[in-house]
């Protein structure tokens, strides 16, 4: 419906001045026993099609760091900025060639603990574990219980339960317990981190590309809203320190882990400003208008969803109509 309304010229103000797009994995489509995060994966072909569709609709592609000046300018041409979270190796292997083909700048947000191989990606660990086991025993807080995993539906139910566990328990403890469970089943969570994410050398090489920028994404990828003020500030600062050590330049942008309303608060937006970030992004959906010139450390982004890899969906989302209707 949104695409049809946009083609008909309805609700033109919903598009605002432009949009920031969120990506995670960019890689060819693959199959694995369990893919609970398939919505966070798009193919290089779809990324190419998305860029071509936005170009055809008159968008100018700008670096994320240019958004403050762009919102303050009278320029009417809509803009698009591309961002990629977590620092996956496929961002350099598959996404970079697409961006380079079209001359599109992009920002990769770096989680220091992933790059240094000190922290695990609990969602990837669980996908590996639940995908290959038929049952597990785990204590969610009321004693160890057996969870059956004999069907895809049961595996997805288990993944959802673990996700709630991470959200409802002190996150560092929850992730540590998941890592311990994985190790009992012969899975090394930090090897998964090393297999999937770029290390310092790879990040430094990526940052040397003229279209690429690195941003901060905290130390441990915990929801900053659930941390104390001191912890949240330290998480953001340590990530920025790491990027500066890699590139020689202090990052101007940060992405809050998870980025939802429960994962990032007004306090965290204030912390980001005080730490000197000129731009900070959430995953709360929306397009950008002039009002965000005063909310530069709480910007919305539009996720390119792996379940909807058609150019018409990019047009619909960029129109801003789905978010306007949702409000």
């Amino acid at each position: 419906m949104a695409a049809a309304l946009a083609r008909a010229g309805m609700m033109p103000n919903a598009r605002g001045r432009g949009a920031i797009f969120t990506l995670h994995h960019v890689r060819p489509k693959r199959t694995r026993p369990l893919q609970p995060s398939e919505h966070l994966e798009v193919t290089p072909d779809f990324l190419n099609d998305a860029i071509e569709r936005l170009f055809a609709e008159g968008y100018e592609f700008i670096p994320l760091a240019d958004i403050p000046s762009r919102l303050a300018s009278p320029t009417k041409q809509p803009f698009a900025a591309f961002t990629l979270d977590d620092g996956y190796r496929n961002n350099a292997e598959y996404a970079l060639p697409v961006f380079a083909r079209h001359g599109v700048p992009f920002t990769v947000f770096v989680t220091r603990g992933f790059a240094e191989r000190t922290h695990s990606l609990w969602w990837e660990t669980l996908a590996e574990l639940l995908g290959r086991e038929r049952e597990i025993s785990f204590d969610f807080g009321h004693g160890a219980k057996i969870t059956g995993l004999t069907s895809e539906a049961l595996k997805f139910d288990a993944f959802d339960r673990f996700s709630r566990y991470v959200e409802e328990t002190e996150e560092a403890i929850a992730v540590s317990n998941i890592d311990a469970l994985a190790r009992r089943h012969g899975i090394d969570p930090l090897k998964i981190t090393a297999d999937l994410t770029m290390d310092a050398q790879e990040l430094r090489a990526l940052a040397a590309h003229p279209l690429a920028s690195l941003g901060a994404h905290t130390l441990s990828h915990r929801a900053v809203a659930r941390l104390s003020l001191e912890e949240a500030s330290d998480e953001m600062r340590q990530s920025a320190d790491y990027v500066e050590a890699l590139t020689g330049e202090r990052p101007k942008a940060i992405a809050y882990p998870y980025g939802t309303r429960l994962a990032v608060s007004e306090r965290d937006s204030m912390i980001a400003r005080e730490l000197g970030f000129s731009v900070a992004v959430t995953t709360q959906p929306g397009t950008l208008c002039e009002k965000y010139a005063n909310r530069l450390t709480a910007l919305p982004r539009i996720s390119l969803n792996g379940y909807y890899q058609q150019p018409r969906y990019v047009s619909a989302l960029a129109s801003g109509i789905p978010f306007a209707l949702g409000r």
Side-chain angles (χ1 to χ4, degrees):
M1 181 177 70
L5 291 173
R7 285 196 302 270
M10 305 295 289
M11 303 178 67
N13 293 332
R15 183 171 70 172
R17 300 288 300 279
I20 306 168
F21 290 93
T22 313
L23 299 160
H24 289 80
H25 288 289
V26 179
R27 58 190 175 191
K29 194 168 182 62
R30 63 195 187 128
T31 58
R32 60 191 296 195
L34 186 67
Q35 300 188 82
S37 301
E38 191 174 4
H39 61 292
L40 299 179
E41 301 192 19
V42 303
T43 67
D45 286 344
F46 173 64
L47 176 58
N48 182 80
D49 292 346
I51 291 171
E52 289 184 347
R53 175 59 68 98
L54 292 167
F55 180 80
E57 293 182 353
Y59 280 79
E60 180 183 358
F61 300 101
I62 67 172
L64 186 66
D66 287 359
I67 284 180
S69 60
R70 187 57 175 257
L71 288 176
S73 79
T75 305
K76 298 301 181 184
Q77 183 181 9
F79 64 80
F82 278 90
T83 63
L84 305 98
D85 289 6
D86 301 336
Y88 293 111
R89 183 170 289 112
N90 55 57
N91 295 174
E93 184 177 1
Y94 292 108
L96 172 58
V98 178
F99 290 128
R101 186 182 311 141
H102 297 281
V104 172
F106 62 98
T107 298
V108 172
F109 290 111
V110 178
T111 302
R112 179 173 184 170
F114 298 164
E116 293 186 324
R117 306 340 191 187
T118 57
H119 290 73
S120 65
L121 298 85
W122 63 263
W123 54 95
E124 299 284 356
T125 302
L126 280 174
E128 180 69 22
L129 172 66
L130 301 178
R132 78 183 211 181
E133 298 297 331
R134 293 184 61 81
E135 67 174 31
I136 56 170
S137 175
F138 188 77
D139 184 357
F140 286 97
H142 304 285
K145 292 185 177 180
I146 300 293
T147 298
L149 303 168
T150 54
S151 70
E152 185 179 70
L154 289 174
K155 292 176 186 290
F156 273 103
D157 287 345
F159 185 89
D160 290 342
R161 187 176 185 189
F162 274 105
S163 297
R164 291 194 299 273
Y165 171 68
V166 172
E167 292 172 357
E168 296 168 359
T169 309
E170 184 177 339
E171 191 168 347
I173 293 175
V175 174
S176 177
N177 290 340
I178 291 170
D179 287 351
L181 172 66
R183 291 190 183 100
R184 290 197 294 273
H185 286 267
I187 294 171
D188 182 353
L190 294 183
K191 183 179 184 303
I192 293 175
T193 299
D195 287 344
L196 291 177
T197 63
M198 290 180 277
D199 61 17
Q201 182 177 351
E202 292 169 297
L203 289 167
R204 194 177 291 113
L206 177 65
H209 194 282
L211 293 173
S213 299
L214 300 185
H217 200 35
T218 74
L219 168 66
S220 67
H221 202 283
R222 286 184 289 170
V224 288
R226 298 177 59 199
L227 303 177
S228 69
L229 186 150
E230 292 76 15
E231 285 180 306
S233 181
D234 189 56
E235 283 273 332
M236 297 187 207
R237 182 185 300 107
Q238 285 208 47
S239 184
D241 290 346
Y242 183 70
V243 171
E244 184 176 20
L246 288 176
T247 67
E249 183 177 348
R250 195 76 175 171
K252 298 180 176 65
I254 186 169
Y256 305 109
Y258 310 112
T260 64
R261 293 187 183 279
L262 295 178
V264 56
S265 67
E266 287 290 335
R267 180 208 67 178
D268 305 315
S269 176
M270 176 194 70
I271 293 172
R273 286 196 302 272
E274 291 176 348
L275 288 174
F277 293 106
S278 58
V279 170
V281 294
T282 70
T283 59
Q284 296 157 39
T287 54
L288 301 179
C289 59
E290 286 79 1
K291 72 176 183 180
Y292 282 104
N294 297 317
R295 291 182 55 81
L296 291 169
T297 53
L299 297 179
R301 289 189 289 175
I302 297 173
S303 177
L304 293 183
N305 192 307
Y307 293 139
Y308 304 100
Q309 297 191 55
Q310 296 293 332
R312 68 178 184 274
Y313 293 121
V314 180
S315 295
L317 292 169
S319 75
I321 292 174
F323 317 121
L325 293 176
R327 290 193 294 271

